[in-house]
Amino acid sequence: HALHSDPNCVFCKIVAGAIPALRVFEDADVLAFLDVGPLSEGHALAIPKEHFPTLEDMPADRFALVASRLPRIADAVRRAVGAQGCNLLLNVGREAGQEVPHLHWHIIPRVAGDKLGYRWNASTYPPGRGEEVRQAVKDALEA
Ligand code: AMP
C-alpha cells in the first residue's frame, strides 16, 4: 500500500530521494541515515518511511516495526566507529526537543571519556505524590 507522506516534511523528502542523505540502512519500512549535525561520529537517525509526526500519531505496530530494526542498526553504527556504547534517544514533542515532526530515533555513539554528558537533574516525590501519579497513569491507560 502507499505509505502516507507529507510533501513538506524534510525526512519524507529524504525517504523520497528528493534531498540527499548518507543512508546507512534501508528496507521496505525503515530508513536510517547519518545526522547532518552529529553529536558524535556515526550519529544516525532511524525513521519509519511513513510519516508520523510524533508518538501519539503512530500505531503500536508501526512503532514496533522501527524498533525491531534498532538492535542491528545501532550495533553496526557503534562497531563502525569503535564506540563502546550508544544512547538511543526518542524526542517526543517540541518540549522534549523534537524539532523535526517525523518521528525519529537518534543513535548516538558514546566513547569512554567523551564530552557529551548525559545526566539530567533528578528530583524526588514528596510523600504520597508517587502514589497519586501512579493512579493518574493507570486512569490514563484505561481512558
Ligand atoms: P530532533 O531535535 O530530535 O527533532 O532532531 C532532529 C535532527 O535531525 C537533528 O539532530 C538534525 O541535525 C537532524 N537533521 C535535520 N535535517 C536533516 C537532514 N536533512 N539530514 C540529516 N539530518 C538532519
Side-chain angles (χ1 to χ4, degrees):
H1 71 115
L3 297 180
H4 175 62
S5 155
D6 176 342
N8 297 314
C9 168
V10 60
F11 289 173
C12 286
K13 289 179 187 172
I14 288 175
V15 169
I19 63 172
L22 294 171
R23 296 166 182 243
V24 297
F25 173 90
E26 180 165 10
D27 66 18
D29 302 298
V30 178
L31 177 66
F33 52 91
L34 297 187
D35 193 305
V36 280
L39 292 172
S40 61
E41 271 202 0
H43 182 172
L45 302 173
I47 66 170
K49 286 189 169 179
E50 192 159 13
H51 183 77
F52 298 103
T54 190
L55 204 51
E56 67 194 31
D57 306 304
M58 198 171 186
D61 62 334
R62 310 304 293 173
F63 183 90
L65 206 54
V66 185
S68 71
R69 311 311 194 254
L70 284 177
R72 187 163 160 246
I73 301 170
D75 195 54
V77 166
R78 192 185 55 73
R79 286 186 288 110
V81 298
Q84 288 84 39
C86 65
N87 291 110
L88 293 181
L89 182 66
L90 190 58
N91 295 331
V92 178
R94 194 187 295 277
E95 299 75 10
Q98 185 183 2
E99 289 180 354
V100 176
H102 180 134
L103 196 76
H104 51 280
W105 274 257
H106 292 262
I107 301 165
I108 306 166
R110 301 300 303 264
V111 298
D114 69 29
K115 299 288 185 268
L116 280 180
Y118 155 69
R119 289 291 161 204
W120 292 341
N121 295 323
S123 59
T124 57
Y125 287 113
R129 184 61 185 151
E131 288 75 6
E132 288 175 3
V133 171
R134 177 184 66 159
Q135 192 57 50
V137 173
K138 293 179 70 161
D139 292 347
L141 281 166
E142 298 302 322

